[in-house]
Amino acid sequence: AGVAPRVRLMALKFLSGSGSGSTSDSVLALNYALSFNAPISSNSYGGGGSSSARQAALEAAATQGHLFVAAAGNDASNNDVSPQYPCSYAVENIVCV
């Protein structure tokens, strides 16, 4: 029963308890999800600068039809003026919330 009885969840963690982590670990987590054909991921992390490795992983995810939901940030800032990553990558499969 329920609204989505066939849904499956995959919890992936790459940040420490204090909230720090590396871009390479975020890429590994996304690639792991993609290896299981996860159609969507919810990514509530942000910070740091742009990374060509993470952008390439997001572009690869887009070719697989993966929807990447990203945090838009918590400072009420304009992401077009002050980019927040991974939200601000110009990749078609990213939805910033």
Side-chain angles (χ1 to χ4, degrees):
V3 175
R6 299 184 67 197
V7 73
R8 297 183 308 162
L9 297 177
M10 177 188 305
L12 301 176
K13 179 181 177 184
F14 73 91
L15 298 176
S16 70
S18 64
S20 63
S22 68
T23 297
S24 61
D25 286 342
S26 74
V27 170
L28 286 172
L30 176 58
N31 288 340
Y32 183 83
L34 293 174
S35 74
F36 285 92
N37 297 313
I40 186 169
S41 60
S42 178
N43 303 273
S44 60
Y45 64 91
S50 179
S51 158
S52 59
R54 186 167 27 202
Q55 182 164 348
L58 290 165
E59 290 168 351
T63 65
Q64 292 185 29
H66 180 85
L67 180 64
F68 187 90
V69 180
N74 295 321
D75 300 322
S77 63
N78 182 337
N79 290 348
D80 293 328
V81 175
S82 300
Q84 301 290 314
Y85 295 97
C87 175
S88 294
Y89 289 108
V91 182
E92 66 186 20
N93 63 322
I94 299 175
V95 175
C96 297
V97 294

